[in-house]
Amino acid sequence: MSAQLTQRRGLNDSITRFWSFAAPAYNQPCLQRWVYRPGQDEVVRALRSQGSQRIADIACGTGILTDRIERELRPDEVYGVDMSDGMLAQARRRSDRVRWMKGPAEELPFADGFLDAVVTTSAFHFFDQPAALREFHRVLAPGGLVAVTTIGPRLPLQRLSADLRNPAHIPSPREMHTLFTDAGLTVADQHRVARPLWTQLLSDLITVGVKS
């Protein structure tokens, strides 16, 4: 096993343990409404315009967005995928209509071309980003949609790393565009997410791509 793979698995294990512990706090309504809801609204709009029928929410956490997709859009099948047992336990209590599954973004439990849409919100910085987008491309049917939102501080901060495999790295819009095209996805839309004025120390970016 390579040193890089060993390091990556160690990071994944640490992240998983943290979110298993933090899952109850993550559900707090104020946190969800003001921090995560703006980006999730954009993802729901993108899915509604696409009319996708098999949708997977990657790093779904406690399933708030996943459940919302199922309730509001009523697609044929909705899957919530996460690495954290604690998050998935909360998600299963939220809905029995979503199919909850455990797995990393870089090794999804789906056959080639199985899904119409793959989405992920506020978790992309934890992934091996090139590997995750290649995996999203693999599991999508032709014409399928990928929607990724990233979230980070608006203030100019020193980059944590220039290595996109570092799970602390939040890509710039240009980097996101390159990541999508390198994975074989055509970027259909990319824009900043509108936020309430008093939460604008945070900045969200949504990037939407299509598998040609």
Side-chain angles (χ1 to χ4, degrees), residues 43-100:
V43 167
V44 170
R45 278 192 284 271
L47 290 172
R48 182 176 283 115
S49 67
Q50 184 79 359
S52 305
Q53 291 304 307
R54 284 184 174 178
I55 302 168
D57 180 16
I58 311 306
C60 65
T62 61
I64 291 172
L65 173 61
T66 329
D67 177 53
R68 184 180 169 194
I69 290 169
E70 194 281 328
R71 288 185 293 101
E72 294 186 16
L73 304 182
R74 294 296 184 185
D76 292 342
E77 298 175 20
V78 182
Y79 299 86
V81 182
D82 203 278
M83 290 178 57
S84 164
D85 290 324
M87 287 289 193
L88 288 172
Q90 297 274 337
R92 290 188 179 101
R93 288 194 286 271
R94 186 179 304 282
S95 173
D96 59 4
R97 297 177 301 277
V98 173
R99 302 185 188 188
W100 306 105

Side-chain angles (χ1 to χ4, degrees), residues 16-31:
T16 300
R17 285 194 297 271
F18 170 77
W19 284 113
S20 291
F21 173 77
Y26 181 82
N27 271 334
Q28 292 300 312
C30 60
L31 179 68

